[in-house]
Amino acid sequence: KFVWSIAASTSAIRLVRKVQESVSALACVLKQPPHKITIGLGPEVAECTLQSWEGEVPGSGAFLTRGDIRSAYQRLFEKHANLRRAMIVAPAELLVNGYPLVWEENWKGDDVLRRKNIKEVNFMTMALYMPTEAGVLFAEVKNGFGGIGIEFLPLVVAEKEAVVLRCGMKDTLIIDVREDATACVAVKGGRFAGVGFTPFGTRRFAEMLARISGNSLSRAHGMLRLHAQGIGDALQLTVPVAAKEIVDEWKKFLVRTLDSIAAAAGSLPDHVVMLGVGAELLEVREALQAGDWLDAFSHTKRPVLRVLTGAAFSGGDTLGGHLVGSEDAGLASLMVYSLYHKPIF
């Protein structure tokens, strides 16, 4: 496990370079090259949106095939490609006549796949948009390690899949409080219902604490970390009061993001899963447990809150101490995705 600290002013191009350096470092440390590398990306690197792509399925056989689906998706990708910006896509779900399609071993026996019964085919696609130069660098990373399969995908895709597969939660609201952003994913019936982001993460928590307490930014980061661990001294006395003020401000941004998701997805689930480094702050957990926000988007006032750590996705096993706190949950979800994901085609 490697951890790098990256400055807030780092450009998207430099972040891609950092990814390239990380893959190189990983390849050097391992005694043999991995068969596959999965890289999760967030809004810090690229604009991320959930889109529904509808198209006709080519082919003439009696039943729908994986080849037909692959051809249809490639046509839709070319249709949605933007020459001014690079795009990385992850086909998250396939809907046939409005229902999710799961490929089984005996899938040809399912009448829903009989071509004459197919009315519409939709791909729920997570798309990452970035400057063309960044896209070129990602292509270099993908093609620069011969023989190793490298997959880029939005981190929220892996988190949703891990929560559904490993935790069995098919109706839930996932809130990931990261360092530079907060990601929100609404899941209904095991499917994506909506995705949203706000550029308010724990880095901004530290910046606000630094202003309130008169300390440096690095000192404020340390104070928050100690506060999350329940460790304090005389200098820490201002943190609980300041943290409450900071989290109240964060919550306003969160509610706006959820409002935009609910406008498209309808009522949101009352089961809330929380992960990310921000989940370790008591004030953040208390803010979500309060009954003053959920009833604007759901049928109940108070959520059923569950905070996930990285070990939650591996049956409580920390894998030698590598998956410990909530900040490791995103990394653990990538592991789950790599091991259990079944591609659409």
Side-chain angles (χ1 to χ4, degrees):
K1 176 182 175 181
F2 302 92
V3 179
W4 285 272
S5 180
I6 298 175
S9 57
T10 305
S11 67
I13 302 299
R14 181 69 189 105
L15 280 173
V16 180
R17 287 294 188 196
K18 198 64 182 180
V19 169
Q20 194 172 31
E21 294 168 12
S22 303
V23 174
S24 298
L26 177 67
C28 289
V29 169
L30 295 175
K31 293 182 179 179
Q32 60 182 23
H35 294 291
K36 179 181 179 182
I37 297 176
T38 307
I39 300 175
L41 304 174
E44 304 90 343
V45 180
E47 176 189 344
C48 184
T49 61
L50 177 64
Q51 303 175 5
S52 176
W53 291 1
E54 181 178 352
E56 297 180 356
V57 178
S60 57
F63 288 92
L64 196 64
T65 69
R66 287 182 184 269
D68 296 336
I69 294 296
R70 187 181 301 110
S71 297
Y73 193 78
Q74 182 60 38
R75 291 184 181 183
L76 289 170
F77 175 79
E78 294 169 356
K79 176 181 177 181
H80 288 84
N82 189 322
L83 296 178
R84 292 174 297 177
R85 293 192 296 173
M87 180 171 68
I88 295 175
V89 295
E93 295 165 356
L94 171 62
L95 307 180
V96 176
N97 297 339
Y99 294 94
L101 175 63
V102 179
W103 297 98
E104 303 291 350
E105 291 183 3
N106 60 342
W107 59 272
K108 277 195 174 182
D110 194 336
D111 281 344
V112 75
L113 298 178
R114 194 178 293 276
R115 192 176 295 276
K116 68 177 183 179
N117 295 335
I118 297 174
K119 306 300 182 184
E120 63 177 13
V121 174
N122 291 81
F123 295 91
M124 297 303 294
T125 297
M126 292 297 304
L128 289 163
Y129 292 96
M130 66 197 73
T132 302
E133 185 180 352
V136 171
L137 293 178
F138 271 121
E140 289 180 7
V141 175
K142 192 175 182 68
N143 300 323
F145 299 87
I148 301 177
I150 298 180
E151 180 180 4
F152 299 103
L153 78 157
L155 182 57
V156 291
V157 172
E159 291 175 341
K160 173 260 184 186
E161 192 149 322
V163 168
V164 172
L165 289 178
R166 301 298 289 175
C167 301
M169 303 182 72
K170 295 186 176 181
D171 294 278
T172 187
L173 180 63
I174 303 171
I175 300 177
D176 180 5
V177 187
R178 306 171 188 169
E179 186 171 13
D180 288 304
T182 296
C184 304
V185 182
V187 182
K188 292 184 177 182
R191 292 172 42 197
F192 275 109
V195 176
F197 302 90
T198 176
F200 201 134
T202 57
R203 193 191 299 271
R204 192 178 293 190
F205 287 15
E207 290 172 350
M208 293 179 68
L209 178 58
R211 288 197 300 269
I212 294 171
S213 65
N215 286 284
S216 67
L217 181 58
S218 60
R219 174 60 175 152
H221 271 293
M223 292 168 70
L224 278 176
R225 186 165 52 250
L226 291 174
H227 177 63
Q229 297 170 355
I231 303 172
D233 53 31
L235 294 176
Q236 293 280 114
L237 295 178
T238 60
V239 177
V241 175
K244 176 67 167 60
E245 179 182 336
I246 294 166
V247 171
D248 285 346
E249 186 66 18
W250 165 80
K251 193 172 180 180
K252 295 176 184 177
F253 282 79
L254 176 71
V255 167
R256 290 174 200 154
T257 302
L258 294 176
D259 188 50
S260 65
I261 294 176
S267 179
L268 300 182
D270 61 351
H271 281 72
V272 177
V273 166
M274 193 175 186
L275 54 148
V277 63
E280 298 178 0
L281 282 171
L282 174 63
E283 288 78 10
V284 171
R285 299 195 298 271
E286 288 179 340
L288 291 184
Q289 288 174 322
D292 61 355
W293 64 279
L294 185 62
D295 58 346
F297 319 108
S298 183
H299 300 300
T300 58
K301 290 189 66 173
R302 290 187 183 276
V304 178
L305 181 65
R306 180 177 178 184
V307 179
L308 295 182
T309 65
F313 295 132
S314 54
D317 187 353
T318 64
L319 303 184
H322 289 121
L323 303 177
V324 183
S326 296
E327 65 179 315
D328 292 325
L331 178 61
S333 71
L334 285 172
M335 296 169 60
V336 172
Y337 179 91
S338 298
L339 290 169
Y340 300 107
H341 175 69
K342 295 181 180 179
I344 294 175
F345 47 80

